[in-house]
Amino acid sequence: MTPSRAAKRLTIVIPALNEQEKIADTIDGVLPLARELLDDFEIFLINDGSTDATGAIMDEFAAGEPRITVHHNPERRGVGAGFEYALSRAKFDAITLIPGDHAFQNEGIERMLKAVGAANMVITYRDNQSDRSVNRSIQSHSLRFILNCLFGFWLSDYHSMIVYPVKWLRRIAVKADGYGYQICALISLLQLGLTHVQVPVSLNAELKGSSRALRLHTYFELGGTIFSLLRRVPIRHVDLSQIPVEAGRTSAR
């Protein structure tokens, strides 16, 4: 008899701030894939203080799907705060964040969901960043190069979609918010030696205009995050003997 595979259960977090034009497209892409590819799932829709119809659209989806929970922040709190809210309430062993601005093509989200359970973490990498603005592309490639040189994990991307293990993510102290939260969490878990696979995803075409990721505040935030990581993010009572024996830093694509 062949052993039965582990159930694919996932907590999905979709945050959005004033994304009334895109949030429905995001959910309409994610929801059918979750129903098809996962054994069970829950979706946390985080309305991060939107002043447009984003929250109302989220409520409409929740009314038709009992596995969707909507959380409304009265004012903007940032992506990290929304993710932590969902993490503290997640009932499954794995969790991921999908941006509410319909940034990723559905084919990439499908590949990520199919890979759930293949390792402790599923780390996606954006394979068409050159399609975005020159400034944003340069920023992403530069950040990846700096982080690879500083920490030696040689990932293809540090700021795409990631499937995290809830058990271990709850045990680390992530002292960052906003843009730096994911980088801090990812590197902290990699420092524990958890296994990971990398899968490609593609970005949807970006609308012309200035990118929020290029603000000066973002650079200071990332600098602080990297500095704290170089000093080692403190681990909350993690028993390293409980890490799976097959854990390692070699990625499989």
Side-chain angles (χ1 to χ4, degrees):
M1 295 178 60
T2 57
S4 59
R5 68 171 178 83
K8 293 164 70 77
R9 296 190 290 260
L10 181 65
T11 296
I12 301 170
V13 187
I14 303 179
L17 169 63
N18 295 330
E19 295 290 356
Q20 65 179 11
E21 302 298 329
K22 299 180 180 180
I23 187 62
D25 289 336
T26 302
I27 302 170
D28 278 332
V30 172
L31 194 53
L33 292 173
R35 289 169 174 163
E36 175 187 356
L37 301 173
L38 300 173
D39 297 308
D40 202 357
F41 66 92
E42 61 181 345
I43 297 177
F44 285 91
L45 301 178
I46 308 296
N47 172 26
D48 195 24
S50 298
T51 56
D52 62 5
T54 297
I57 295 171
M58 289 178 169
D59 288 335
E60 290 179 7
F61 276 97
E65 171 54 70
R67 289 173 289 188
I68 291 179
T69 299
V70 181
H71 176 67
H72 298 280
N73 287 332
E75 57 186 23
R76 183 180 180 182
R77 296 192 59 204
V79 175
F83 187 76
E84 285 189 316
Y85 173 88
L87 176 64
S88 67
R89 292 159 175 79
K91 64 180 181 180
F92 298 127
D93 294 334
I95 187 171
T96 191
L97 184 147
I98 299 176
D101 60 356
H102 198 44
F104 292 93
Q105 296 180 14
N106 293 336
E107 291 80 4
I109 296 174
E110 179 179 2
R111 284 192 289 269
M112 180 181 72
L113 297 186
K114 285 181 176 178
V116 171
N120 299 133
M121 289 186 288
V122 179
I123 303 172
T124 70
Y125 60 94
R126 297 162 289 180
D127 61 5
N128 66 335
Q129 292 195 65
S130 59
D131 292 347
R132 310 198 95 180
S133 65
V134 174
N135 285 340
R136 191 158 187 172
S137 179
I138 291 174
Q139 181 194 41
S140 295
H141 288 301
S142 299
L143 178 62
R144 180 188 65 193
F145 177 77
I146 291 171
L147 292 173
N148 278 335
C149 290
L150 289 175
F151 299 101
F153 293 111
W154 304 107
L155 297 180
S156 298
D157 205 337
Y158 284 83
H159 204 259
S160 186
M161 296 179 293
I162 298 170
V163 177
Y164 301 97
V166 168
K167 173 183 176 180
W168 297 109
L169 192 55
R170 284 174 173 168
R171 297 190 185 191
I172 62 175
V174 181
K175 295 187 176 180
D177 199 357
Y179 198 86
Y181 182 94
Q182 180 161 292
I183 293 172
C184 189
L186 175 58
I187 292 178
S188 298
L189 291 173
L190 289 172
Q191 288 174 334
L192 287 177
L194 300 182
T195 59
H196 61 278
V197 295
Q198 297 189 75
V199 299
V201 296
S202 297
L203 295 164
N204 284 311
E206 183 180 38
L207 296 177
K208 293 182 179 180
S210 61
S211 169
R212 286 175 289 182
L214 297 173
R215 292 177 179 176
L216 183 62
H217 170 74
T218 302
Y219 291 106
F220 284 111
E221 179 184 320
L222 287 173
T225 298
I226 292 171
F227 179 74
S228 69
L229 285 166
L230 289 172
R231 297 178 59 195
R232 292 297 181 116
V233 174
I235 305 299
R236 296 191 185 122
H237 310 297
V238 172
D239 182 358
L240 297 181
S241 67
Q242 298 299 310
I243 294 178
V245 295
E246 73 276 10
R249 296 181 180 177
T250 302
S251 64
R253 299 190 186 183

